[in-house]
Amino acid sequence: MKIDAGWLHGDDVSCLVSPHCDDRPDAQDISLLVVHNISLPAGCFGRSYIEALFMGMLDCHVHPDFADLAGLRVSAHVLVRREGEVVQFVPFHHRAWHAGVSTYQGRSGCNDFSIGIELEGTDTWVYTYAQYQRLAEIAALLCQHYPMLSPQHIVGHSDIAPDRKTDPGEAFDWVHFGRVLADCLDTSEIVK
């Protein structure tokens, strides 16, 4: 896997260009990675609703749980599906709209300087081996590609918006993720 012009390229990686993004105030300031979770409807996996939401094409009449999503303009840079497939929506040098009202180490507006990665899941469903592996591969690649980003600056959405958000939730094993990430950072298979 590699990054070219802000986009991931590799096996099981596809790209859909979301309209829900804009330029970063400082394109060089990519210094935070935020881990999220998402499922639409809640607890349902493997459907195309997440892509539709991030593309601004979700039919909010399809399911009662979608009523609150009408008119919502959100995106993430990347979605990692349960089986490890990766969908990228926003190039990394652009600002995705994933963090909302947020603060990290005294800096507000985390969208300005962060990359958002969504894991298909919920706060309480165990994430898959494939998701941890792909997330770690992408995180290692991003740390190599963007010099201001490091493993110490990978957080959950709940860390930057604790009054509003709980994801990636109690089901996310940070210790396991750290081990997998360390392995990925040590391997020469990551191509800058």
Side-chain angles (χ1 to χ4, degrees):
M1 189 167 23
K2 66 179 183 174
I3 297 173
D4 183 25
W7 293 94
L8 289 169
H9 297 271
D11 294 338
D12 291 327
V13 175
S14 60
C15 297
L16 297 172
V17 182
S18 173
H20 301 164
C21 66
D22 57 5
D23 291 333
R24 294 179 185 274
D26 178 356
Q28 302 305 309
D29 184 5
I30 297 174
S31 53
L32 179 66
L33 191 150
V34 181
V35 180
H36 303 262
N37 73 37
I38 189 168
S39 58
L40 292 175
C44 294
F45 308 130
R47 302 184 184 179
S48 61
Y49 297 129
I50 299 168
E51 287 94 333
L53 175 67
F54 291 163
M55 297 298 292
M57 300 168 55
L58 181 65
D59 180 352
C60 293
H61 298 91
V62 170
H63 193 279
D65 287 358
F66 298 168
D68 293 340
L69 302 176
L72 188 64
R73 295 177 45 140
V74 296
S75 62
H77 289 91
V78 172
L79 167 68
V80 180
R81 293 244 177 230
R82 303 292 291 174
E83 299 301 318
E85 302 92 349
V86 174
V87 182
Q88 185 171 357
F89 297 91
V90 175
F92 297 122
H93 57 277
H94 286 179
R95 176 171 51 190
W97 303 341
H98 63 94
V101 177
S102 53
T103 304
Y104 180 70
Q105 293 186 341
R107 296 178 69 190
S108 61
C110 293
N111 284 338
D112 292 350
F113 55 91
S114 68
I115 290 172
I117 299 182
E118 296 274 1
L119 300 176
E120 187 179 34
T122 72
D123 287 5
T124 57
W125 285 57
V126 173
Y127 294 94
T128 68
Y129 169 82
Q131 286 180 299
Y132 283 111
Q133 186 64 41
R134 291 304 280 219
L135 176 61
E137 290 169 2
I138 295 166
L141 184 59
L142 290 169
C143 288
Q144 291 176 348
H145 198 81
Y146 298 102
M148 295 175 67
L149 186 61
S150 70
Q152 293 75 29
H153 299 291
I154 300 174
V155 300
H157 198 184
S158 59
D159 296 313
I160 62 169
D163 295 334
R164 298 183 310 108
K165 298 296 180 178
T166 58
D167 58 318
E170 61 193 57
F172 190 78
D173 187 339
W174 285 100
V175 173
H176 175 67
F177 169 67
R179 285 194 297 262
V180 179
L181 177 59
D183 289 345
C184 288
L185 287 167
D186 288 341
T187 182
S188 61
E189 293 177 21
I190 304 290
V191 178
K192 193 170 185 180

